[in-house]
Each structure stands twice: as structure tokens, then as C-alpha cells.
Amino acid sequence: METQCIFCKIINQEIPSAKVYEDDVVYAFLDITQVTPGHTLVIPKKHVADIFDYTPELAGEVMSRLPHIAHALKQTFPEMKGLNIINNNGEAAYQTVFHSHWHLIPRYSSEDGFSMQFENNQDSYTPEEFTQRAKQIGDSI
């Protein structure tokens, strides 16, 4: 645990939270911002800053809890039409708390106040560059 980490303090009950779920691996609680009703954060109890700090074992354990919590959200909010699961890693990706966390954001309509935008940059590279990019990533695995 990091002594100054707000999420570690929440796990240790030094800071109050609206707990949704807890086991030996994860702690889930309502995000104070509530982008949509039920917006939940799922955090590993082990302090890891971002996805690059996960071991494969920890990643598997944390990810395996997400469907369980997602089903609970759907049962609680049957009017949900979908669910965004978002994980930001690093400042450039808008991470503001450097304890890895997964946002589960219930979606009630496409006009519920939450949006994501992806720009199509397909014209900024050639098919050869695209294929080479995929090969470089694959070779690094």
C-alpha cells in the first residue's frame, strides 16, 4: 500500500466510500462523480499504478471480477442499455489517480451525459505502415 494514495486509503477505510463489493483481491465502490447512476470503480487491493504494473496473475484475478460486478449493476439498474468499462493508463490517457482502476459506467441512452470520441486517422498511414505496426507489436509479445 502506498501511504499517500487515496485509493489505498479507501481500501484501508481511512477515507469513507460507498462500497459495492469487496474480496481478497479487489475493492469496488461508487465513483463520487457518478457520470451516470451506478458509476462504479473497481480497484485491485494491491497498489499498482497502471496496467503496466500488473502481473498476468493479478490482471486475471481483477478482470475476472468485472463480469460479476457488471451483472450486479444490470440487476440493480434493469433500465441499463449498455456498460462502458474504461481503464486509463498514464497522464496522456487522462489518468488522475495513479492506483489502477476500472470504471464501470452504466449507459441508459446515447444521450445520458457520457460520451467518447474516436477520430478516424486511417488516412494518416499507408496499408504497409499499418501492417508493419501490427507486426512490431506482435513481435514484442
Side-chain angles (χ1 to χ4, degrees):
M1 297 277 165
E2 295 287 320
T3 59
Q4 298 304 312
C5 172
I6 191 168
F7 287 171
C8 288
K9 289 180 179 186
I10 288 172
I11 292 166
N12 290 331
Q13 298 181 358
E14 297 170 31
I15 296 174
S17 68
K19 180 171 70 171
V20 169
Y21 175 81
E22 180 179 15
D23 64 22
D24 59 328
V25 176
V26 303
Y27 188 88
F29 57 101
L30 292 180
D31 189 308
I32 197 164
T33 65
Q34 288 296 282
V35 171
T36 63
H39 178 182
T40 300
L41 296 179
V42 179
I43 62 176
K45 285 187 164 181
K46 177 181 170 133
H47 182 88
V48 290
D50 56 31
I51 195 70
F52 304 107
D53 284 347
Y54 278 79
T55 62
E57 295 76 23
L58 180 61
E61 290 181 356
V62 172
M63 300 311 139
S64 71
R65 271 59 171 190
L66 297 181
H68 180 65
I69 298 164
H71 284 290
L73 286 167
K74 181 66 175 162
Q75 183 175 341
T76 304
F77 302 103
E79 65 276 18
M80 269 178 47
K81 305 279 190 256
L83 180 73
N84 284 103
I85 299 175
I86 301 170
N87 172 253
N88 304 347
N89 297 279
E91 288 181 42
Y94 307 107
Q95 184 178 7
T96 57
V97 176
F98 292 91
H99 182 126
S100 180
H101 53 286
W102 300 82
H103 293 262
L104 278 62
I105 303 173
R107 301 303 306 276
Y108 301 96
S109 78
S110 59
E111 299 175 9
D112 59 13
F114 178 78
S115 66
M116 292 177 54
Q117 181 180 345
F118 294 96
E119 272 189 47
N120 183 343
N121 291 315
Q122 185 175 359
D123 295 333
S124 67
Y125 55 84
T126 66
E128 293 79 19
E129 289 171 321
F130 189 68
T131 301
Q132 179 60 26
R133 188 176 297 159
K135 182 178 180 336
Q136 286 175 311
I137 295 168
D139 289 349
S140 295
I141 296 175

